[in-house]
């Protein structure tokens, strides 16, 4: 090859490059023309595929694509969305394998032989919409096969403009999640107030009985409650209940169960009858909601010292006589488990200085270095010579606090204690 | 906490729940039968379950009621000692059918 031939070849190559550069500049100008209004006018929050349509149109124009599509994965309550230009140009079903491959392999996927609505094979360039650290969906552009291949410029344009759309989705996600968090916090606050409202402000003051109770709410709202009522027969009935679960549903279920137990006891029903009635009352609702509740009810005649206790699925009731602790375990499964179930009651007669302790699993399930605290742990925390019910409650709760070592309470902790005294007016609750 | 799912037959689901069966497992366990309307019988293997709380118990009862609604049963197989104690203390052993092994459970399921 002579020097002049070589020079001519170089000049020809330069002309080719100049022409290519002209094409690219023109394309870039077109893309920019489309992009500028999009940047100025795109809504601050893209909440659906409809909000991303301007981006898709811009990309299609910039890369001179015949078909475009947006896919958004389901997010919170929003179902998956699929949108194409022209409308219904490609069925989601035929595109799904390519979307799956895109999700697994990389930020970019090239798909071939994808039939359009009329069966014409098309080829596609797809990229992921990455919002934050999650793949929110995909944007793609398509051409009829054989027309031309997508080049590096098309790839760059598609990816850059998709990044811009993704940033809008990030804004949306953050705004949605902030609104959701605020709503949740508000609901939790209400749930906490509801639950607090049903805890008695003071215990009964009855000659011969010394009653004390405490309820420590969990950091996240739980479903514990306690209560007491004087029955027409003169018996003092008290109880601890625990609805499984947390949050607003548990708080609401605790309120309704608390009310139902109070009302039934006021009708002079025994503890066992009351638990049977509320079980039937709530069975369907609990089945529907997939929840259950446990409860221990105790009725005491302060004149005779007669005790009746019934327990549906609750932690054992502890009964102490002459320094020896006994356990009254549940004789029926929790409320909402079986229809027409009435627990078998347990009876005793109080002697002076006998003690009864009811507690919720928020105490027995405290994690300790050697496993759960359990009933044995609670019993070990009780010193000999307890002189009143309040002292007993405080002693156990202090031991629980020590075990937690400053950690937040994960489940409500409720405790009810009764001490029988032969001295009238012995209550200091 | 982990869970293995197997389907010895088209209508039977076996769940092996390891570690704690508590609130964190509820959705995963429930979705195993909610996503399969063809499942009638549920066998829950609790031999490697170290603890079950009230949410775990509520989930078992949801499964029991759902299985009955579909004309099947839910069986608890070989609960670990700690779980047995909890089932006894809460009287849940009066509501649930507890069998010594998964094989025993499956033999009962085929009789349904």
């Amino acid at each position: 090859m002579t020097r002049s031939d070589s020079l001519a070849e170089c000049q020809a190559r330069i002309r080719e490059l100049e022409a290519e550069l002209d094409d690219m500049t023109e394309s870039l100008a077109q893309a920019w023309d489309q992009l500028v209004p999009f940047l100025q006018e795109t809504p601050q929050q893209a909440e659906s595929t409809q909000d991303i349509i301007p981006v898709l149109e811009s990309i299609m124009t910039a890369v001179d694509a015949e078909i475009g599509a947006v896919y958004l994965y389901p997010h919170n309550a929003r179902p998956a969305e699929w949108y194409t230009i022209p409308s219904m140009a490609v069925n989601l079903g035929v595109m799904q394998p390519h979307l799956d491959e895109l999700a697994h392999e990389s930020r970019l996927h090239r798909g071939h032989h994808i039939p359009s609505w009329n069966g014409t094979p098309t080829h596609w360039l797809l990229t992921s919409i990455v919002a934050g650290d999650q793949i929110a969906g995909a944007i793609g552009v398509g051409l009829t096969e054989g027309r031309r291949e997508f080049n590096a410029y098309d790839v760059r344009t598609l990816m850059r403009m998709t990044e811009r759309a993704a940033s809008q989705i990030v804004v949306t996600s953050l705004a949605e999640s902030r609104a959701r968090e605020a709503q949740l916090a508000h609901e939790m606050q209400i749930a906490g107030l509801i639950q607090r409202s049903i805890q008695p402000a003071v215990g009964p003051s009855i000659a011969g009985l010394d009653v004390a109770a405490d309820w420590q709410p969990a950091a996240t709202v739980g479903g514990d409650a306690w209560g007491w009522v004087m029955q027409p027969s003169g018996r003092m009935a008290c109880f601890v209940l625990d609805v499984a679960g947390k949050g607003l549903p548990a708080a609401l279920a605790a309120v309704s169960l608390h009310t139902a137990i109070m009302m039934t006891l006021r009708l002079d029903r025994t503890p066992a009858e009351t638990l049977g009635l509320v079980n039937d009352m709530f069975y369907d609702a609990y089945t529907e909601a997939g929840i259950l509740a446990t409860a221990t009810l105790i009725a005491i005649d302060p004149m005779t010292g007669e005790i009746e206790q019934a327990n549906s699925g609750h932690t054992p009731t502890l009964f102490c006589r002459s320094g020896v602790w006994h356990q009254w375990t549940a004789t029926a499964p929790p409320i909402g488990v079986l229809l027409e179930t009435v627990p078998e009651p347990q009876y005793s007669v109080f002697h002076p200085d006998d003690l009864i302790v009811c507690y919720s699993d928020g105490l027995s399930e405290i994690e300790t270095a050697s496993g759960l605290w359990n009933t044995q742990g609670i019993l070990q925390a009780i010193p000999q010579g307890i002189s009143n019910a309040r002292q007993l409650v405080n002693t156990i709760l202090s031991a629980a606090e020590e075990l937690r070592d400053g950690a937040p309470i994960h489940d409500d902790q409720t405790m009810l204690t009764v001490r029988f005294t032969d001295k009238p007016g012995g209550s200091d609750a | 906490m982990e869970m293995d799912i197997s389907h010895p037959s088209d209508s039977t689901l076996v769940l092996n729940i390891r570690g704690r069966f508590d609130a964190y497992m509820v959705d995963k366990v429930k979705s195993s039968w909610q996503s399969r309307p063809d499942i009638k019988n549920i066998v829950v293997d609790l031999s490697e379950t170290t603890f079950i709380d009230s949410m775990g118990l509520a989930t078992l009862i949801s499964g029991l009621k759902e299985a009955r609604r579909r004309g099947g049963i839910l069986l608890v197989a070989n609960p670990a000692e700690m779980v047995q104690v909890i089932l006894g203390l809460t009287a849940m052993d009066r509501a649930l059918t507890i069998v010594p092994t998964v094989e025993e459970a499956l033999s009962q399921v085929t009789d349904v």
Side-chain angles (χ1 to χ4, degrees):
Chain A
M1 183 183 288
T2 65
R3 195 171 198 167
S4 59
D5 289 343
S6 177
L7 185 61
E9 192 173 313
C10 283
Q11 284 171 336
R13 180 68 186 137
I14 287 168
R15 280 195 295 276
E16 278 176 21
L17 287 171
E18 282 175 347
E20 201 171 315
L21 187 61
D22 283 347
D23 286 348
M24 286 179 73
T25 307
E26 191 181 341
S27 296
L28 193 60
Q30 281 179 357
W32 187 248
D33 287 346
Q34 296 290 329
L35 187 59
V36 168
F38 157 67
L39 291 174
Q40 290 168 343
E41 294 168 14
T42 294
Q44 285 303 299
Q45 295 182 5
E47 292 177 353
S48 70
T49 52
Q50 295 295 327
D51 295 328
I52 306 174
I53 297 313
V55 188
L56 182 60
E57 288 173 340
S58 302
I59 296 170
M60 286 174 67
T61 306
V63 302
D64 194 20
E66 297 168 305
I67 320 170
V70 180
Y71 177 72
L72 291 180
Y73 289 107
H75 180 64
N76 296 327
R78 186 192 68 202
E81 291 187 45
W82 172 245
Y83 184 90
T84 65
I85 298 175
S87 178
M88 308 290 284
V90 174
N91 186 287
L92 175 59
V94 299
M95 190 62 86
Q96 194 66 58
H98 298 278
L99 292 168
D100 292 343
E101 277 189 50
L102 173 68
H104 286 105
E105 65 188 18
S106 66
R107 295 279 303 279
L108 190 74
H109 174 76
R110 288 174 190 268
H112 291 89
H113 314 302
I114 299 171
S116 66
W117 66 276
N118 60 4
T120 307
T122 58
H123 69 98
W124 285 72
L125 197 57
L126 295 160
T127 190
S128 298
I129 302 171
V130 182
D133 56 356
Q134 290 193 326
I135 297 176
I139 285 185
V141 285
L143 288 167
T144 303
E145 291 214 336
R147 191 184 147 196
R148 74 172 178 90
E149 289 298 315
F150 289 111
N151 57 30
Y153 164 76
D154 299 326
V155 170
R156 198 165 53 246
T157 304
L158 174 66
M159 294 185 79
R160 287 276 165 80
M161 293 178 77
T162 301
E163 279 169 19
R164 170 67 187 179
S167 71
Q168 301 304 313
I169 290 168
V170 171
V171 171
T172 303
S173 300
L174 285 175
E176 273 178 11
S177 102
R178 282 194 194 112
R180 204 166 49 248
E181 279 167 18
Q183 178 68 22
L184 196 61
H186 183 57
E187 285 182 2
M188 284 299 178
Q189 195 180 13
I190 293 170
L193 290 171
I194 289 170
Q195 196 191 10
R196 188 174 295 276
S197 72
I198 58 171
Q199 315 296 336
V202 291
S205 179
I206 301 162
L209 292 180
D210 175 14
V211 183
D214 208 330
W215 164 73
Q216 302 275 328
T220 51
V221 179
D224 276 18
W226 74 280
W228 67 273
V229 63
M230 288 307 297
Q231 296 190 282
S233 60
R235 299 200 300 180
M236 189 281 293
C238 53
F239 60 91
V240 174
L241 66 86
D242 181 2
V243 176
K246 290 186 169 59
L248 199 52
L252 289 175
V255 170
S256 54
L257 182 58
H258 187 276
T259 307
I261 289 175
M262 292 284 280
M263 297 295 286
T264 311
L265 288 172
R266 282 203 176 105
L267 296 172
D268 225 10
R269 297 291 190 150
T270 66
E273 287 172 343
T274 302
L275 284 171
L277 286 166
V278 297
N279 179 67
D280 292 349
M281 208 181 295
F282 289 104
Y283 179 82
D284 287 340
Y286 284 13
T287 299
E288 187 69 28
I291 60 174
L292 52 78
T294 66
T296 292
L297 276 61
I298 301 168
I300 303 167
D301 186 333
M303 302 304 290
T304 64
E306 288 172 343
I307 311 165
E308 181 186 338
Q309 192 254 196
N311 182 339
S312 290
H314 203 72
T315 52
T317 296
L318 309 177
F319 179 76
C320 180
R321 172 163 296 163
S322 306
V324 180
W325 287 94
H326 308 271
Q327 296 185 29
W328 288 337
T329 54
T331 55
I335 296 160
V337 171
L338 292 176
L339 252 180
E340 297 174 3
T341 304
V342 179
E344 299 129 39
Q346 286 131 327
Y347 301 98
S348 187
V349 178
F350 252 144
H351 293 182
D353 291 327
D354 281 356
L355 288 166
I356 286 181
V357 177
C358 301
Y359 57 93
S360 64
D361 59 10
L363 282 162
S364 55
E365 291 176 5
I366 292 175
E367 299 269 8
T368 73
S370 56
L372 299 179
W373 201 24
N374 275 326
T375 305
Q376 288 310 312
I378 293 173
L379 288 174
Q380 283 166 11
I382 303 172
Q384 293 289 328
I386 288 284
S387 60
N388 63 65
R390 173 53 57 193
Q391 185 192 6
L392 179 54
V393 169
N394 290 346
T395 300
I396 295 172
L397 291 180
S398 296
E401 198 174 340
E402 204 170 305
L403 283 173
R404 287 203 319 274
D405 195 22
I409 297 176
H410 293 300
D411 193 6
D412 289 356
Q413 298 178 349
T414 308
M415 171 155 287
L416 170 69
T417 64
V418 184
R419 180 171 152 266
F420 191 69
T421 160
D422 56 354
K423 291 172 283 187
S427 173
D428 58 358
Chain B
M1 54 194 172
E2 283 179 61
M3 183 174 76
D4 285 337
I5 302 174
S6 58
H7 297 91
S9 71
D10 289 345
S11 62
T12 301
L13 171 73
V14 177
L15 304 174
N16 176 14
I17 299 169
R18 297 191 294 278
R20 292 176 66 93
F21 184 4
D22 56 18
Y24 297 102
M25 284 294 286
V26 169
D27 287 345
K28 196 173 175 185
V29 173
K30 279 188 176 175
S31 69
S32 68
W33 61 72
Q34 285 170 341
S35 61
R36 291 282 304 265
D38 52 328
I39 293 294
K40 281 168 59 183
N41 307 303
I42 304 165
V43 176
V44 187
D45 179 358
L46 298 180
S47 59
E48 295 175 89
T49 306
T50 55
F51 172 71
I52 183 167
D53 74 353
S54 55
M55 291 298 285
L57 296 175
T59 305
L60 287 179
I61 296 303
S62 288
L64 173 71
K65 290 175 177 176
E66 184 61 24
R68 283 181 181 163
R69 198 183 62 76
R70 296 179 184 184
I73 54 173
L74 178 143
L75 296 164
V76 171
N78 193 20
E81 192 180 344
M82 174 67 154
V83 177
Q84 268 187 50
V85 169
I86 295 168
L87 295 176
L89 282 176
T90 55
M92 286 284 283
D93 54 3
R94 300 179 186 210
L96 295 164
T97 304
I98 300 169
V99 294
T101 63
V102 171
E103 290 71 27
E104 168 72 23
L106 292 175
S107 72
Q108 291 195 26
V109 158
T110 54
D111 295 333
V112 172

